[in-house]
Amino acid sequence: MTKKVLVVEDNELNLKLFCDLLRAHDWSAEPVRDGREAVARAREVEPDLIVMDIQMPHVTGYELILALKADLELRSIPIMAVTAYAGRDDEDRIRSAGADAYVSKPISLARFMEAVNGLA
């Protein structure tokens, strides 16, 4: 059975890259361009993993992680943050919000898939 991943990313090129990369590795990728739609889409899709940007308009990745982890139906879904924030404090803050993994941009394709497969 193909595993599903919800990809939350406002940058169209990154969204396409992440979805194409996941699909090339036999994942079913569901794109979401706006963090405000992510919780509802997660309920619909019931993903095995959520990959999300941290720096998004309207709803930050931090806020989204907190909302997902506060939701009884969604809190057990692993979250991988993908962000241009690269400092140690940033990673600690992202993980303390509830992210299970962290990959910095620009991404290494191998490191991205290694992190995804580590959460599967």
Side-chain angles (χ1 to χ4, degrees):
M1 188 166 105
T2 302
K3 292 199 175 193
K4 296 179 279 186
V5 62
L6 188 72
V7 181
V8 185
E9 170 65 69
D10 63 304
N11 179 290
E12 200 64 39
L13 291 175
N14 286 338
L15 184 65
K16 181 174 175 13
L17 171 66
F18 300 157
C19 288
D20 288 349
L21 183 59
L22 288 159
R23 290 174 183 139
H25 287 87
D26 299 321
W27 283 78
S28 170
E30 293 287 332
V32 175
R33 289 164 183 79
D34 189 329
R36 295 174 295 189
E37 301 169 13
V39 173
R41 288 291 293 144
R43 284 196 189 106
E44 291 171 24
V45 172
E46 298 178 354
D48 298 292
L49 172 65
I50 298 171
V51 172
M52 73 168 66
D53 187 19
I54 293 296
Q55 194 171 3
M56 295 184 289
H58 312 298
V59 177
T60 69
Y62 299 111
E63 294 167 331
L64 186 51
I65 291 169
L66 294 172
L68 290 163
K69 293 302 181 179
D71 188 296
L72 294 175
E73 291 179 43
L74 305 173
R75 69 169 28 144
S76 65
I77 300 170
I79 297 172
M80 184 173 94
V82 183
T83 182
Y85 295 134
R88 183 72 185 149
D89 290 342
D90 295 316
E91 181 176 358
D92 291 343
R93 194 167 141 212
I94 290 165
R95 287 184 180 275
S96 67
D100 300 283
Y102 170 94
V103 175
S104 61
K105 294 177 185 174
I107 66 162
S108 151
L109 301 182
R111 189 167 44 235
F112 178 88
M113 285 313 304
E114 183 178 294
V116 165
N117 291 324
L119 294 172

